[in-house]
Each structure stands twice: as structure tokens, then as C-alpha cells.
Amino acid sequence: MINIISGTRQDFDGLATTFNDPTWSRNNMQLTYFRRIEDNLYLQPQILFPDHGFDGWLKTSLLPLDVFTANPSFLDPQIAAVATSQWDPVVAGPPIPDLNSLSADSAFGVGSTSFTTDNQHLRSSVRDRLAAVHQSQPGKLHLALDTLATKILLCNSSSTVTAYGVQIAPGAALPIASSFNGKVTLNLQNVTARHEVIISAGVFQSPQLLMLSGIGDKDQLLQFGIEPVVHLPGVGTNLQDHDEVAVNWLMKDNYTLFNGCTVLSNRTEDPCLAYWLDHNHKNLYAFAGVVNSVISQSSSSLPAPDVLTYYIPAFFRGFFRGVPQEVADIHNGLTAVVLKGHPSTKGTVKLTGSHPQDPLSIQKLHFQAVDGPADVAAIREGIKRARELVALPPISAFVMEEIAPGPNVTTDDEIDNFVYNRVFGGCLSLAPFLPAFSDHDPRQVIMRAVPMQSGQITVGN
């Protein structure tokens, strides 16, 4: 996975201000929490990099260049050009030595992308951490798989609302799950906590859980027969999705690194998978996709850079149907994804019913705010910059043609139209409590718990 935390200062500092809690600040998050979980594999000596951690559980690394030393035939001139073409100081800006340092929050230019992969080129993730703790601490971590969280159990006194557990439905699934076979009568169970109930059900299901529990806009809750416990109109609002648009080219030749790769899960059907398993994970599948990232600022009035463009030696149109097969089949693609951070438009997540398996109404509302046209313009300029970089040597000598937007899309209006039609996103965030607080302290709702039977519950559908 791509690991870039630069440009998040206004987010974390904003939370610190909103909650009057300095532990949410950008500096504290990095120096206390990010550093604690990170096991950085690429920065030495450690004493020179105080922003990073070196003994946590989340491995972070850079491009696996040892793949090319193990098999020099993988390093063809095209892939070398792709990896170096973004480092033009005039078009891309100065080099950023460390994208994940605190100083990089306001930096613009080009940097090497960090990834959450270990020194064996395997993905390092929360899933691995949970599995390791589950195995090393028997009886202390209980995982309920194929289980749907349906409601937060609340104790409502005259002064506070306190979470003391969660209601679950074993065997049930959300409508988007492959195991979902229609809405059913749920077999409900209660699980109670001694210390904390932590809601970590994702950008859609977290607000759904709160609303099903009576925490949200009272008018919407009453519409579906849910008794309001805390009138908190901000729940389900402030939905933000990075606006992303892909620029695609075809190179003159296939990358040698892609030879024989079918991206299948059976080694007999995918020679690349067989090679990866037999040669210490040193081929295409060691890479996380992105080579370098260019960071820019669309307006001097903004507090920090807001546009990230990442380059991929593959044909990737975005998160659309059919794209995974295109990535597997097309071995001479080049993509620059232009991402607008901190978009002006805020969407919503709303209930359509009171049953936990009712689908949600999710409205991303790309570009529909007053400043939406400015967001489109920021992406347009990012597209122009990406084109400019690809037109430079050495990479220009290897490019066969631009596929999208295409060579005939040149004017601002034409590029804007392309942005409107091809925008996608996969980096959703939701701050459910930021707007329209009630008199109740929302932190009491989700961060306190009544002493009951067990230790701590973390809810995540």
C-alpha cells in the first residue's frame, strides 16, 4: 500500500482544535503514534530521522530495487525512463528527501513514494498485526468473523451517554458482501465491555452504526422509527473523497518486468507468480505500483500543497469495472493519477431504513460545492503538468501515444469535461462529528465505557 502522510497537518490540527485536545495535533500523531507503529526499513542512521519509528509492527519501505540487481533483464530502458522522468526540477519542483517527515507537510516537489511492505516484499498490514497478536496472546484477542455489528449499546443518564457494549449478528453480512443473500431476521447477541468500545467500522458503516444506535440527526432517525439518544446532525456529513483522474499513455514496447504475468492466483496459470515464489519474491509482484509522487499547490491562498500526482508503469483508468483485467492484459501502459486533496465538496451518508442490512444512501457530490470549479481547475493543471513531464526526455522517446484524455483534448474546457466524466476516488474520509455539535460531548458517546464483563471491544464491519 502507498504510505504518504504529508499534507495532513490541517486535518489533525483541525481535530485538535475542534475537540480542544492537543493529542490530535499533527506533531503529536506523528511523534507519538505513527512513530510507535512504524518499523522503517529504508532510513539510516536512525538517529538522523526522529520523525520515524524503527521498532513498530508496520513495515515501511521504498521501491524494491533489489529486484533489478537480482535479475538485470527486468531493468529495460523503458522502466528506467519511467522511474526517472518525474525528477525534473523545472516542471515537478525540487526533490523532497522524505515525504513522511513533519517538514514535508508544506513541501512541494517530487519524492520517492513509501510503501507498507516488508523486506521480503510482502504487504505489511493491520490484518497481519491482528493475526500475530491473536496467535501470540491466546485468549486475549477474540475475533468474530462473518459477524455484523448492528448497534452500539448505550447507557443514557441525565448528563451523559455512555457506550457499554455492542450488539452483533453472527452469520449476517452487509448488502455489499459476497456472502449477502438478502435481508433476513437477525440472530442478535450483546457483547459488553469493561473499558472501551471503539467504533472503527469504516467511512460508511461507522456513521450507520451511530445512527442505528440513536446518535445522529433526530429528524432522520425519527423518519425510520429510531429513538434519538443524542441529536448530532453532523453524523454522516462531511464525507470527503479525494478527486482523482488518470492520464494514460501506451509505451512502444512491453515492459520486460511484465513478461509472462497473468496476475492470477495459481502458479500453474501465472509464470510470474511461480517466479515470485521461487526467487525470493523478486519480480513484478514485489512492487506496490507507484514509482514516484509529485506534490504541488494549486493556489497560493491555500495553507499547504493540495495536488498529488503519482506515476504507475501500468494502464490504470481508475476504479471502474473492467480495469483489473486491463491492468493484467496491457503490459505497456503508463499512468499519471492526479489527485486533489482537501476537496471543497462534502458529501453525505444517510440511512434508508432502520434494519442494519438496509443499503445506505451515499452521495459523494464531486465538484458540487461553490469552489468545485476551482477543484476541477487544480486537476486540469495537474494533467497539464503530467503531460509536460512525459513530453520530456528520456521518457518521451518511449511513448507511443496518449490514450486519455487523448491528443485531441487540449483546451481548458475540453480537459475540464474529461475531468467531470472520469473522476473517481478511493480515499474516502468522514469526520462525523465536526459540523453541528449538540450540547452533548460526542467524545463521551464513543470514547467512554461502563465497567462491565470483558476488556475492550473494537467494532469494525
Side-chain angles (χ1 to χ4, degrees):
M1 293 290 290
I2 300 173
N3 176 46
I4 299 178
I5 57 176
S6 64
T8 57
R9 179 169 297 279
Q10 66 188 87
D11 299 306
F12 287 110
D13 287 355
L15 288 170
T17 300
T18 298
F19 292 122
N20 192 28
D21 183 352
T23 63
W24 278 105
S25 71
R26 173 71 175 90
N27 285 15
N28 188 67
M29 291 299 294
Q30 174 115 7
L31 298 178
T32 302
Y33 297 105
F34 299 161
R35 191 167 62 178
R36 183 184 300 172
I37 69 173
E38 184 184 21
D39 182 7
N40 188 287
L41 303 177
Y42 61 91
L43 292 173
Q44 294 291 336
Q46 298 178 7
I47 194 172
L48 297 181
F49 301 95
D51 295 349
H52 289 272
F54 297 90
D55 54 6
W57 54 265
L58 185 67
K59 313 290 185 183
T60 60
S61 58
L62 297 180
L63 286 173
L65 299 181
D66 58 333
V67 168
F68 300 121
T69 57
N71 189 338
S73 69
F74 288 148
L75 187 60
D76 62 54
Q78 281 194 158
I79 202 74
V82 169
T84 59
S85 63
Q86 296 87 47
W87 297 88
D88 183 272
V90 176
V91 179
I96 304 174
D98 178 10
L99 285 174
N100 288 332
S101 67
L102 285 170
S103 61
D105 271 341
S106 57
F108 67 92
V110 58
S112 297
T113 310
S114 171
F115 309 97
T116 52
T117 52
D118 65 17
N119 50 10
Q120 297 297 313
H121 309 316
L122 297 171
R123 177 173 174 174
S124 180
S125 68
V126 173
R127 185 258 177 210
D128 301 320
R129 170 65 171 171
L130 290 174
V133 173
H134 186 257
Q135 183 176 10
S136 64
Q137 303 290 328
K140 294 185 178 181
L141 175 62
H142 301 273
L143 302 175
L145 305 179
D146 298 317
T147 299
L148 180 65
T150 61
K151 183 183 292 186
I152 306 162
L153 301 177
L154 301 172
C155 180
N156 186 8
S157 70
S158 58
S159 58
T160 62
V161 177
T162 307
Y164 67 88
V166 63
Q167 186 183 80
I168 61 174
L174 292 168
I176 59 171
S178 59
S179 59
F180 180 73
N181 293 312
K183 190 165 67 172
V184 297
T185 301
L186 301 176
N187 175 28
L188 299 175
Q189 301 177 12
N190 290 345
V191 181
T192 53
R194 178 179 301 156
H195 296 299
E196 288 182 309
V197 178
I198 301 172
I199 309 304
S200 181
V203 71
F204 299 137
Q205 267 61 57
S206 290
Q208 180 188 29
L209 267 176
L210 292 170
M211 290 185 283
L212 291 175
S213 307
I215 303 169
D217 187 315
K218 65 179 181 181
D219 293 332
Q220 183 187 172
L221 301 181
L222 290 171
Q223 179 185 350
F224 299 110
I226 300 172
E227 181 182 356
V229 177
V230 179
H231 174 53
L232 210 61
V235 174
T237 65
N238 204 39
L239 177 68
Q240 299 180 49
D241 193 1
H242 292 158
D243 301 318
E244 301 181 61
V245 175
V247 186
N248 305 114
W249 296 266
L250 290 179
M251 310 296 280
K252 293 178 179 178
D253 299 300
N254 289 347
Y255 302 112
T256 305
L257 190 63
F258 281 66
N259 284 352
C261 297
T262 59
V263 198
L264 296 175
S265 58
N266 189 320
R267 62 179 295 152
T268 62
E269 299 176 335
D270 186 357
C272 273
L273 178 58
Y275 185 99
W276 186 78
L277 293 170
D278 295 339
H279 292 81
N280 297 317
H281 306 159
K282 293 181 180 179
N283 71 347
L284 172 66
Y285 297 157
F287 290 82
V290 176
V291 286
N292 295 310
S293 299
V294 176
I295 296 176
S296 57
Q297 189 163 334
S298 63
S299 171
S300 59
S301 64
L302 296 174
D306 61 318
V307 178
L308 167 70
T309 304
Y310 53 95
Y311 290 79
I312 311 169
F315 194 87
F316 174 68
R317 294 186 294 112
F319 296 115
F320 302 106
R321 292 186 184 275
V323 164
Q325 194 61 50
E326 288 181 351
V327 173
D329 291 344
I330 300 173
H331 292 180
N332 64 328
L334 172 64
T335 300
V337 177
V338 182
L339 180 154
K340 173 66 175 72
H342 300 110
S344 59
T345 299
K346 310 295 189 291
T348 60
V349 177
K350 294 184 178 181
L351 299 176
T352 64
S354 60
H355 194 286
Q357 292 180 308
D358 285 328
L360 293 171
S361 173
I362 301 168
Q363 302 293 328
K364 293 184 179 180
L365 306 177
H366 287 291
F367 308 130
Q368 294 187 35
V370 173
D371 292 331
D375 293 349
V376 174
I379 297 175
R380 178 214 311 146
E381 296 307 308
I383 291 174
K384 291 180 179 179
R385 187 180 302 107
R387 283 173 154 178
E388 193 174 352
L389 280 171
V390 173
L392 295 173
I395 194 171
S396 58
F398 300 101
V399 175
M400 180 169 64
E401 61 178 325
E402 180 184 305
I403 301 299
N408 296 325
V409 177
T410 57
T411 68
D412 286 357
D413 287 343
E414 290 171 339
I415 299 174
D416 289 355
N417 186 60
F418 172 77
V419 171
Y420 282 117
N421 283 286
R422 295 292 291 273
V423 65
F424 69 93
C427 306
L428 284 155
S429 66
L430 181 71
F433 300 119
L434 293 188
F437 286 120
S438 71
D439 291 334
H440 293 277
D441 182 350
R443 291 170 295 170
Q444 291 178 329
V445 176
I446 62 170
M447 297 179 67
R448 293 185 57 191
V450 173
M452 294 292 284
Q453 298 171 5
S454 57
Q456 182 184 78
I457 301 174
T458 300
V459 182
N461 284 332

